[in-house]
Amino acid sequence: MYNLHDIVEMKKPHPCGANRWEIIRMGMDIKIQCTSCQRIIMLPRREFEKKLKKVLETANKD
Ligand SMILES: [Zn+2]
């Protein structure tokens, strides 16, 4: 599972070349921010889960 502020890798890297995204909003839509160029994209939750490859860092380890 994934949580707010986790760092995730997507199936497709960002055009800037990086593939590390921070989850900055969770809701009906998920907002992720590229940790390299700071660009923010918003995806419907279902689409986010389809494009998610893996969680790289968990913000809250509880
Ligand atoms: Zn980027």
Side-chain angles (χ1 to χ4, degrees):
M1 269 318 277
Y2 53 90
N3 289 291
L4 194 62
H5 301 307
D6 282 1
I7 305 292
V8 299
E9 185 178 314
M10 305 304 280
K11 284 177 182 157
K12 271 194 197 166
H14 197 226
C16 79
N19 199 349
R20 284 173 66 86
W21 303 83
E22 180 180 347
I23 300 173
I24 58 169
R25 199 186 93 174
M26 300 250 290
M28 295 267 289
D29 295 312
I30 308 277
K31 259 191 196 175
I32 56 175
Q33 183 172 30
C34 177
T35 60
S36 176
C37 70
Q38 316 303 316
R39 179 98 185 263
I40 293 168
I41 63 169
M42 186 164 71
L43 296 164
R45 186 178 281 258
R46 176 176 294 182
E47 203 181 321
F48 171 79
E49 288 179 359
K50 220 172 5 177
K51 292 182 173 173
L52 175 67
K53 193 168 167 193
K54 63 179 172 184
V55 176
L56 297 174
E57 289 172 30
T58 307
N60 193 341
K61 293 190 160 53
D62 293 340

